[in-house]
Amino acid sequence: MSFISPFAYLLELLLLWSDKSRVMTFGIASALGVMAGSLAHALATRSFRLESFRDPEDLINHLIGGALMGFGGVLAMGCTIGQGLTGVSTLALGSFLAWFSIITGAALTMKIQYWRLMREG
């Protein structure tokens, strides 16, 4: 059970809704069900609230990060748990490549964030 591919298929289904070859799959339905269920629970318990970012730059940083995570999840055919733990434990070469890329990307991101923090003062 994964959420990376179903969300990609959901986006494809929404973009190409007039294409009759696109079908609603179990993965797409379960992804929609999780979103609808969490919304229903938040509304029922009166814990629903809207939150925002501190400034437009923070919003842009989060949008870029989310897009990169989505792209990486689809490219790696799974999430960090699936590739980093499960795949490496089976000695899959692609999982080692994904795991190395995850670590490199995290280290590079931390270096960039540290550089930006020091530049601001």
Side-chain angles (χ1 to χ4, degrees):
M1 184 66 193
S2 170
F3 284 110
I4 299 294
S5 294
F7 275 115
Y9 295 142
L10 174 62
L11 181 61
E12 183 181 49
L13 184 68
L14 292 174
L15 288 172
L16 305 170
W17 60 272
S18 62
D19 186 353
K20 299 299 179 199
S21 67
R22 305 287 179 223
V23 296
M24 177 72 77
T25 63
F26 176 77
I28 293 172
S30 64
L32 287 171
V34 166
M35 288 190 297
S38 62
L39 176 64
H41 180 267
L43 292 172
T45 60
R46 298 181 186 259
S47 61
F48 180 81
R49 66 182 185 274
L50 294 175
E51 296 182 2
S52 65
F53 298 97
R54 69 176 179 260
D55 56 23
E57 182 184 0
D58 192 32
L59 171 65
I60 291 170
N61 287 336
H62 280 82
L63 288 174
I64 291 171
L68 288 173
M69 286 182 65
F71 178 77
V74 171
L75 187 65
M77 294 186 295
C79 64
T80 54
I81 301 300
Q83 290 292 344
L85 295 178
T86 309
V88 170
S89 69
T90 62
L91 302 178
L93 181 62
S95 292
F96 276 104
L97 178 63
W99 183 62
F100 178 74
S101 298
I102 290 166
I103 291 172
T104 304
L108 181 63
T109 301
M110 292 303 294
K111 294 280 186 187
I112 291 170
Q113 290 295 336
Y114 182 74
W115 175 78
R116 290 177 67 194
L117 184 66
M118 291 296 114
R119 186 183 65 168
E120 290 176 4

